[in-house]
């Protein structure tokens, strides 16, 4: 099974002057009083990377962006700042685990423009990632993996309204799979995708795969598991005439949203308890957002969000390799007796490893910070 698409273009780096001289004491005329003061936060130093990891440099100056970012009027040199955009690096690992067959699929595209073509109307350099947990065969997961991005970028609402384009693409992909006469349309798949343009990231989820953001050691959940016994999902199912029996939708399926499974759905376009419509969550990435973990339920069944983030951060601090990091997460899940297929993607937003978190020394006695508690919780969970 393919382990995702791999692109390794050269880095695009921009040199910038990160300091200027100012007079600390206006009354002093001694040049020794001149001290460098940093203007904004300079980009991190680019470390050497393994060639096996797909890498795309995306640090651009504001003046070079062709889009209107809402900045009006001219600025003095002291007010100009550099827009630091994420540098996408990803690694993935997929293992059959104790199951007889491997039904997972995934995709990693670190350079969306290079993948689609320079003539595309993508607003900013971006990336695309997806995890597809199949069931009842591999046809649905493979079909959605191969076509979901095409349905997104070809939608009439892309890129002016990306959220609507993503939702529409999930439904169109589901309908297109139903029309495939050569495929087993009774097979199904969950679908978790993340699309990033500049600092804007939109995560779409239909099923029980999960995306978790690592923010300076703290786990931020970027998707919600859609299970039939979830209160909101159970209410939706029952309103549409379905039932939840022992945690299963109509006693058959352990998820409440999926693509495919057309033996459980009505005519195309009709409302049914099993929905292919994704739930979306959007976020603007900051300097504190270090990496994203995307995994199927085989990972999250045996590992908490915080444990995964703590473990991934520790690994990245050691070797700064998202490929090895994803492999270690899979190995840890197998050690914890995960009974499912395992697929994990780790996406880094910087060329540097996560920095060591150090508490400033103080004579004042302080209690542990919230961030420290999260780190401690992750260590204990692991």
């Amino acid at each position: 099974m393919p382990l995702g698409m791999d692109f390794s273009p050269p880095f695009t780096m921009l040199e910038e002057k990160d300091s200027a001289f100012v007079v600390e004491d206006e009354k002093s005329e001694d040049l020794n009083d001149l001290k460098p003061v940093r203007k904004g936060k300079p980009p991190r130093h680019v470390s050497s990377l393994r060639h096996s990891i797909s890498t795309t440099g995306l640090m651009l100056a504001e003046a070079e962006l062709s889009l209107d970012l809402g900045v009006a009027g001219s600025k003095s040199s002291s007010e100009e700042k550099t827009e630091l955009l994420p540098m996408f690096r990803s690694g993935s690992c997929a293992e059959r685990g104790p199951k007889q067959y491997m039904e997972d699929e995934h995709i990693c595209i670190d350079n969306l423009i290079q993948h689609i073509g320079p003539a595309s109307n993508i607003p900013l350099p971006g990336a695309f990632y997806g995890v597809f947990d199949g069931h009842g065969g591999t046809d649905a997961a493979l079909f959605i993996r191969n076509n979901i991005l095409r349905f997104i970028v070809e939608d009439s609402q892309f890129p002016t309204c990306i959220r609507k384009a993503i939702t529409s693409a999930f439904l169109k992909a589901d309908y297109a799979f139903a029309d495939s006469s050569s495929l087993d349309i009774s097979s199904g798949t969950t679908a978790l995708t993340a699309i990033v343009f500049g600092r804007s990231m939109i995560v779409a989820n239909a099923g029980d795969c999960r995306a978790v953001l690592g923010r300076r050691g703290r786990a931020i959940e970027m998707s919600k598991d859609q299970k039939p016994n979830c209160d909101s999902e159970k209410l939706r199912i029952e309103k549409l005439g379905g039932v939840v029996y022992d945690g299963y939708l109509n006693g058959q399926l352990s998820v409440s949203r999926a693509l495919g499974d057309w033996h459980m759905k009505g005519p195309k376009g009709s409302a049914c308890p099993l929905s292919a419509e994704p739930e979306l969550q959007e976020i603007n990435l900051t300097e504190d957002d270090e990496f994203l973990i995307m995994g199927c339920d085989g990972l999250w069944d045996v590992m908490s969000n915080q444990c995964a983030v703590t473990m991934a951060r520790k690994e990245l601090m050691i070797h700064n390799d998202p490929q090895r990091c994803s492999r270690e997460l899979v190995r840890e899940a197998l050690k914890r007796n995960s009974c499912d297929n395992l697929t994990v993607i780790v996406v880094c937003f910087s060329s540097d490893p996560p920095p060591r978190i150090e508490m400033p020394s103080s004579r004042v006695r302080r209690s542990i910070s919230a961030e420290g508690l999260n780190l401690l919780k992750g260590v204990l969970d692991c």
Side-chain angles (χ1 to χ4, degrees):
M1 189 192 69
L3 292 183
M5 298 185 179
D6 183 74
F7 300 96
S8 301
F11 288 104
T12 300
M13 296 298 299
L14 298 178
E15 294 183 357
E16 65 174 6
K17 297 180 179 179
D18 61 351
S19 63
F21 286 96
V22 297
V23 179
E24 188 178 63
D25 187 350
E26 293 181 354
K27 295 181 181 180
S28 174
E29 297 180 358
D30 190 352
L31 292 179
N32 292 329
D33 291 335
L34 297 177
K35 295 184 178 180
V37 176
R38 293 189 182 275
K39 294 165 55 181
K41 186 176 182 179
R44 298 171 179 171
H45 175 68
V46 178
S47 59
S48 60
L49 300 176
R50 292 169 58 94
H51 293 292
S52 62
I53 307 173
S54 181
T55 311
T56 304
L58 294 177
M59 292 188 295
L60 299 174
E62 269 186 338
E64 292 184 337
L65 293 179
S66 61
L67 295 176
D68 181 11
L69 299 181
V71 180
S74 61
K75 293 182 179 181
S76 64
S77 59
S78 62
E79 293 175 334
E80 291 177 352
K81 294 183 179 180
T82 300
E83 180 72 13
L84 298 180
L85 298 180
M87 172 179 286
F88 304 118
R89 299 186 296 127
S90 66
S92 62
C93 182
E95 292 286 346
R96 177 172 57 87
K99 280 201 165 185
Q100 186 176 2
Y101 303 105
M102 180 60 172
E103 296 177 313
D104 288 359
E105 294 287 343
H106 69 282
I107 184 171
C108 297
I109 301 174
D110 290 335
N111 190 329
L112 203 50
I113 291 180
Q114 181 180 3
H115 179 78
I116 298 175
S120 61
N121 56 349
I122 296 177
L124 278 172
F128 181 80
Y129 308 96
V131 176
F132 312 95
D133 187 349
H135 50 263
T138 60
D139 284 358
L142 186 60
F143 180 88
I144 301 302
R145 185 257 185 205
N146 291 336
N147 292 280
I148 188 64
L149 179 58
R150 175 175 62 86
F151 280 109
I152 293 175
V153 298
E154 291 181 357
D155 192 87
S156 61
Q157 300 180 95
F158 181 88
T160 55
C161 188
I162 298 177
R163 294 176 64 93
K164 290 183 178 179
I166 294 172
T167 300
S168 176
F170 270 60
L171 298 177
K172 288 179 180 178
D174 192 32
Y175 296 159
F177 176 67
D179 294 334
S180 301
S181 57
S182 61
L183 301 177
D184 180 7
I185 62 173
S186 66
S187 66
T189 182
T190 65
L192 173 70
T193 65
I195 190 166
V196 193
F197 293 123
R199 286 195 174 276
S200 177
M201 179 172 70
I202 301 176
V203 175
N205 182 49
D208 58 358
C209 292
R210 192 185 305 168
V212 178
L213 182 69
R215 177 176 293 170
R216 282 187 62 83
R218 185 161 59 98
I220 308 296
E221 196 168 82
M222 291 298 300
S223 65
K224 183 179 69 174
D225 298 351
Q226 293 155 352
K227 296 285 192 179
N229 53 8
C230 174
D231 290 342
S232 58
E233 289 296 283
K234 184 176 181 180
L235 182 62
R236 180 185 63 80
I237 290 169
E238 292 175 346
K239 281 185 176 181
L240 295 173
V243 295
V244 177
Y245 177 74
D246 197 25
Y248 286 80
L249 171 59
N250 291 342
Q252 302 179 59
L253 199 59
S254 63
V255 292
S256 57
R257 302 196 190 199
L259 287 76
D261 295 301
W262 279 97
H263 63 292
M264 296 181 63
K265 295 177 179 177
K268 287 190 294 184
S270 63
C272 64
L274 180 60
S275 173
E277 182 176 348
E279 289 185 336
L280 307 180
Q281 188 166 337
E282 185 173 2
I283 189 174
N284 287 322
L285 298 170
T286 69
E287 295 293 331
D288 290 337
D289 297 323
E290 298 166 334
F291 56 86
L292 179 73
I293 302 173
M294 301 174 68
C296 64
D297 62 327
L299 174 70
W300 307 113
D301 285 344
V302 296
M303 194 176 298
S304 70
N305 296 346
Q306 188 60 55
C307 175
V309 167
T310 300
M311 182 177 175
R313 196 175 198 273
K314 180 181 177 181
E315 290 290 327
L316 290 172
M317 288 176 67
I318 295 173
H319 49 67
N320 196 27
D321 186 339
Q323 184 80 16
R324 287 179 60 184
C325 183
S326 62
R327 190 182 307 125
E328 290 303 318
L329 287 171
V330 168
R331 286 177 178 173
E332 180 64 24
L334 289 173
K335 289 179 183 178
R336 298 180 179 213
N337 298 320
S338 175
C339 58
D340 203 350
N341 297 151
L342 285 159
T343 300
V344 175
I345 296 174
V346 176
V347 184
C348 296
F349 302 124
S350 170
S351 61
D352 281 341
R356 186 175 300 278
I357 300 175
E358 297 180 356
M359 298 298 295
S361 59
S362 174
R363 295 180 180 178
V364 180
R365 188 173 183 179
R366 300 178 184 274
S367 59
I368 190 170
S369 65
E371 183 178 59
L373 284 173
N374 286 323
L375 291 174
L376 179 59
K377 179 182 178 182
V379 172
L380 293 176
D381 287 345
C382 287

